[in-house]
Every structure is written in structure tokens, then in C-alpha cells.
Amino acid sequence: MLITPRPGTDRQNLLDTLRTVHTAAFNERGVGHSSAYRQLLDYLEWGVRSAQLLRNQVSAEDLTALVLTKPL
């Protein structure tokens, strides 16, 4: 997916943030959860943290596609 940085966004900072978000998602997926409810809460926390990190760096459309995508 091509990402549209917001004007003035430092590209190295954006790349670092995307790596952080990706690593957090990968780590979250591998964690053994005590329950489906705990897994859901952890996923929602990841989504909120990721959206906060990316909100001022990428377009709203990209943020929706990367993090805030509605489940099927």
C-alpha cells in the first residue's frame, strides 16, 4: 500500500512510526491471551495507540486503511 504523508512530515520519523506500529501488531498477535475478551481489549488498545501515533503523519484515508478498518 502506498501511504500519503501529510505535508511537512519527516519521512524517517514516519518510517520509524510505521515500524513501531507493525512490530506492536506482530507482537500482539503472538501473545497468548487468557480470553477472547482480553484479546479484543488488547487489539483495541493497539488500534488507539497506533491511530494516535499516525494521525498527524498520514492522510485520514491511509489511517483508516491501516488501522481503523471496520471488520467484515
Side-chain angles (χ1 to χ4, degrees):
M1 171 179 173
L2 292 177
I3 295 176
T4 307
R6 291 195 180 271
T9 297
D10 179 84
R11 292 178 191 266
Q12 185 59 51
N13 188 43
L14 175 56
L15 180 59
D16 293 342
T17 302
L18 288 169
R19 285 183 176 141
T20 298
V21 168
H22 175 264
T23 300
F26 186 78
N27 290 341
E28 191 59 45
R29 191 174 152 197
V31 172
H33 296 280
S34 57
S35 68
Y37 180 70
R38 182 74 247 168
Q39 185 175 10
L40 173 63
L41 290 179
D42 289 345
Y43 169 74
L44 293 174
E45 288 173 9
W46 169 85
V48 169
R49 281 191 313 271
S50 298
Q52 289 170 341
L53 289 171
L54 291 168
R55 182 167 286 124
N56 294 321
Q57 297 188 60
V58 300
S59 68
E61 295 81 15
D62 289 345
L63 184 60
T64 298
L66 289 169
V67 178
L68 304 175
T69 304
K70 294 180 182 179
L72 298 175

